[in-house]
Amino acid sequence: MKFVIFQTKWGWFGLAGTETAICRTFLPVKDSDLIKSCFLKEFPDAKCNKNLFKNLQNLIIAYFEGKNVDFNTDVPVFLNAFGDFSKRILIECRNIKSGQTITYADLAEKAGYPKAGRAVGNALAKNPIPLIIPCHRVIRADGKLGGFSATGGKTLKKRLLLLEKHTL
């Protein structure tokens, strides 16, 4: 397991994974030591590798500079720790394009689980790869934001959505 912490316009961002797939992201915060301690707590033997997913690092930096970036499904992710339902929800969530939103119920429908809107919220709350799996693009049926379990909560979710609308 390897990790990298790099600076974006919004703060320090973290990626953790193997040479072939991302296992965890950490959305921007002011203190890089917070990310490092979280990664080492989750992956005690992880080593820092500044070149880990270098192309993805550049895309993430561009994203937070306001560029229209697509973290499409070409970026490999590791979701083996999840059950079938959560895995299908997270994979389907990756298809939501920048600047778009979808409701929890619609995401459940697209993933093949009609009437599982509440369960979608629970699956997304455990998303270990926010931004690459853009769970911030999933909102409530009434148009309100809904939850966001990443550091920064709903305030960050709103900022991400506003950034994406601005770049279109």
Side-chain angles (χ1 to χ4, degrees):
M1 186 65 66
K2 298 177 180 168
F3 69 91
V4 63
I5 301 167
F6 56 95
Q7 193 156 27
T8 72
K9 191 174 182 179
W10 284 26
W12 294 95
F13 192 98
L15 291 171
T18 66
E19 293 293 331
T20 59
I22 297 168
C23 300
R24 183 86 165 84
T25 59
F26 204 100
L27 294 173
V29 294
K30 301 281 184 217
D31 183 4
S32 64
D33 288 337
L34 171 65
I35 299 172
K36 184 176 181 179
S37 67
C38 286
F39 280 163
L40 291 176
K41 183 177 180 183
E42 192 170 345
F43 311 111
D45 297 327
K47 303 290 183 216
C48 183
N49 178 342
K50 297 211 182 276
N51 293 315
L52 183 68
F53 292 102
K54 192 65 175 170
N55 290 338
L56 180 57
Q57 289 182 52
N58 292 331
L59 288 175
I60 291 167
I61 290 167
Y63 173 88
F64 286 107
E65 289 175 350
K67 307 257 185 335
N68 189 4
V69 173
D70 181 15
F71 300 109
N72 61 30
T73 56
D74 293 341
V75 177
V77 296
F78 185 83
L79 298 172
N80 291 3
F82 290 90
D84 290 340
F85 173 80
S86 293
K87 195 181 293 188
R88 283 195 55 196
I89 294 301
L90 293 169
I91 289 168
E92 188 61 43
C93 185
R94 292 191 79 189
N95 294 321
I96 308 167
K97 299 295 181 206
S98 182
Q100 296 178 346
T101 57
I102 188 172
T103 66
Y104 293 96
D106 287 342
L107 181 57
E109 179 86 30
K110 285 182 176 285
Y113 296 97
K115 301 182 183 179
R118 284 188 191 266
V120 166
N122 292 332
L124 294 178
K126 295 177 177 94
N127 177 11
I129 313 171
L131 193 61
I132 308 308
I133 298 176
C135 56
H136 63 280
R137 297 178 186 155
V138 184
I139 62 171
R140 291 175 20 168
D142 63 5
K144 293 183 180 175
L145 290 180
F148 196 58
S149 59
T151 301
K154 287 184 187 181
T155 301
L156 179 58
K157 183 174 183 171
K158 184 175 182 177
R159 282 185 72 201
L160 292 169
L161 292 172
L162 290 173
L163 175 69
E164 291 177 3
K165 288 192 186 297
H166 175 73
T167 61
L168 292 178

